[in-house]
Amino acid sequence: MGRSTGTDTSTGTSTDASTDTGGGTGTGTGAGINWGRVSVVVVTVVCLVYAPIAMTELWPYATPGAPAIGEWLLGRSVSAEFVADAVRDRMGPYTRSLVPLIVHSVLGGLLMLLGPVQLLSAVRRRIRLHRVLGTVFAGTVYVSMAGAALYLLRTPPAEAFSGAAFWIVLATILVGTVGSVTFGVLAAVRGFPDLHQRWLLLCYGFLMTAPLLRLEWGALPALYPGLSLQDVNRVAIMHLGALVGFGALLASRALDRRTQVPGLTGTWAPGPVLVAAHVLGAACLGWITYALLDQGTQGRRLLVAYLVPYVLTYAVVAVRAARARGRGAAWAREEWRLHLAAQCLAPAFSAVTVPVLERTMGLDRLTSLIAGVGIGAGMLAYAAVTVVSLRVLHGREVLKRQGESADGPPDPRGRSTAHPVGAGAGGAGADGSN
């Protein structure tokens, strides 16, 4: 994730924010708005504002009457009654696991501060600072998520704050966060800075569900007056997973300007695969639409909350893939297409999950629908990053075999006699990837 004005022909990335030739979010040079920088500023502001809110959020549960910035803001943006309902709904589930949740929320606030610092330290190529803070970040994620895990383990899904669907979504976010930071650390240790970057961006995307949910607490009551906090949460989880996964993808593409990846030939998402994914996805999306419409007014409200972000995200990914093809940017096109296939398959994953949740957890149809849809996009975003990672690793293996074939067989001790991948082309010396 170090700053480079060139392109690492091994596994590194270019993070010069002034141009975007790889399908990212910037607008290039000139007088236009640089949306990449705008996004970084917005995310940083949200994180800085939310950090003290997260750290003080549970004070009133430990000491009634203690100040909490989030409650104060929510009471003035919505109503005192809405805040009182929120506190009442959370009091029972939270008091049984108050200490783990306080650890989770305080460290969650710290993670909000560490995230932007980590990104800036990478872009500015402060390697030593980035590594030190990265170690702190990873350790903080594990401890914070351990606190959340204790809460989930101690709380039956039906008794959790906002019900079983919210419990399932929280558990999925927890697993996704821990898994992505783990793969990110492993990628850094093994010398894959581009994969390290993608996994850590996805990890931070999952963490961003917390401040984004609080923003929806303040905004959705104006759109749906009189809606309870539980119903507000149900609307929010219909699209939060899709939004954070999409945001992580945009950030990854904005930071990776390579048009080619060594060893990458062909595609893992050929036309027939994409056609099949579209057909299956459309059929399952139709089933989800029918199932939610069958749930009356609440179902229609949830369907809108799901479909609008889904369609917009699909349109952006499809257009980016087409533009990358027109530019001849093979790597950008491949990554966009893999994520496009994953987005098409997200409704299929949700449709399969619904009956599984009904039978294994004894949930009603509406709760299963909310939970299945709520975790579908996040799960497939995680799967897409996994496939992208395997694609890069496969390219590295192809390159390694080509080197062995050209320079001779491996030596008797099992090490290749070929030159290291990228040696002499910025690979080993530019970013430490070899």
Side-chain angles (χ1 to χ4, degrees):
M1 291 178 65
R3 189 179 191 278
S4 172
T5 56
T7 301
D8 175 10
T9 58
S10 175
T11 59
T13 58
S14 170
T15 55
D16 188 344
S18 62
T19 59
D20 177 18
T21 60
T25 57
T27 58
T29 58
I33 299 174
N34 190 313
W35 291 109
R37 291 179 180 174
V38 171
S39 300
V40 170
V41 171
V42 170
V43 170
T44 300
V45 170
V46 170
C47 292
L48 293 177
V49 171
Y50 178 66
I53 293 176
M55 291 179 176
T56 62
E57 187 172 26
L58 295 181
W59 287 5
Y61 298 90
T63 305
I69 301 173
E71 287 188 10
W72 184 86
L73 291 173
L74 193 60
R76 280 149 184 78
S77 61
V78 184
S79 68
E81 291 77 13
F82 189 80
V83 173
D85 289 342
V87 173
R88 185 184 62 252
D89 291 345
R90 293 196 284 179
M91 186 64 74
Y94 281 14
T95 51
R96 290 195 296 268
S97 303
L98 191 56
V99 172
L101 282 174
I102 289 175
V103 171
H104 170 68
S105 63
V106 171
L107 294 183
L110 177 60
L111 290 170
M112 290 295 104
L113 300 176
L114 287 173
V117 175
Q118 274 297 84
L119 178 60
L120 291 174
S121 67
V123 171
R124 299 300 179 187
R125 201 164 176 78
R126 308 295 190 216
I127 302 301
R128 182 174 299 177
L129 176 64
H130 184 74
R131 288 175 177 171
V132 171
L133 291 181
T135 302
V136 175
F137 181 89
T140 304
V141 167
Y142 288 129
V143 178
S144 176
M145 292 302 114
L150 285 175
Y151 160 71
L152 293 172
L153 290 172
R154 292 177 177 179
T155 308
E159 299 177 17
F161 166 58
S162 284
F166 202 68
W167 187 98
I168 293 169
V169 171
L170 289 178
T172 304
I173 292 173
L174 187 154
V175 173
T177 303
V178 172
S180 55
V181 76
T182 301
F183 282 124
V185 170
L186 291 175
V189 171
R190 295 297 300 272
F192 291 95
D194 50 349
L195 301 186
H196 167 74
Q197 177 177 278
R198 281 163 172 77
W199 282 114
L200 266 296
L201 286 170
L202 182 62
C203 173
Y204 206 72
F206 286 136
L207 293 173
M208 285 295 294
T209 56
L212 292 177
L213 178 63
R214 272 61 177 185
L215 288 175
E216 301 216 15
W217 285 359
L220 288 178
L223 186 61
Y224 300 110
L227 212 61
S228 68
L229 181 61
Q230 179 174 0
D231 287 330
V232 167
N233 283 337
R234 286 182 163 188
V235 171
I237 63 178
M238 297 295 285
H239 53 256
L240 277 182
L243 290 180
V244 299
F246 181 53
L249 171 60
L250 290 179
S252 296
R253 289 299 329 138
L255 291 170
D256 189 348
R257 301 325 198 301
R258 297 171 297 174
T259 57
Q260 300 286 341
V261 168
L264 187 146
T265 57
T267 177
W268 284 9
V273 170
L274 282 180
V275 169
H278 276 80
V279 171
L280 180 59
C284 293
L285 190 61
W287 181 85
I288 291 172
T289 300
Y290 177 82
L292 285 173
L293 289 176
D294 196 42
Q295 298 295 323
T297 301
Q298 185 177 19
R300 290 192 292 272
R301 180 170 60 240
L302 295 171
L303 181 61
V304 171
Y306 173 57
L307 279 183
V308 173
Y310 182 90
V311 171
L312 292 176
T313 301
Y314 173 87
V316 172
V317 175
V319 168
R320 292 290 190 176
R323 288 181 178 177
R325 179 182 182 182
R327 293 195 312 271
W331 172 234
R333 175 175 181 258
E334 178 72 352
E335 186 165 13
W336 286 118
R337 285 168 67 93
L338 290 172
H339 277 270
L340 184 63
Q343 173 145 10
C344 291
L345 294 174
F349 177 90
S350 298
V352 171
T353 302
V354 171
V356 172
L357 293 175
E358 285 180 326
R359 295 175 183 176
T360 60
M361 299 184 66
L363 304 179
D364 60 84
R365 172 53 61 90
L366 179 59
T367 302
S368 298
L369 277 168
I370 296 170
V373 171
I375 66 176
M379 291 290 291
L380 267 296
Y382 190 95
V385 176
T386 302
V387 175
V388 168
S389 299
L390 293 174
R391 191 75 174 97
V392 172
L393 294 174
H394 178 263
R396 175 69 72 90
E397 186 64 24
V398 168
L399 210 62
K400 178 182 176 182
R401 291 178 180 177
Q402 289 175 348
E404 291 175 353
S405 176
D407 298 342
D411 68 14
R413 292 169 292 180
R415 294 178 298 184
S416 173
T417 57
H419 295 296
V421 176
D431 58 23
S433 62
N434 287 292

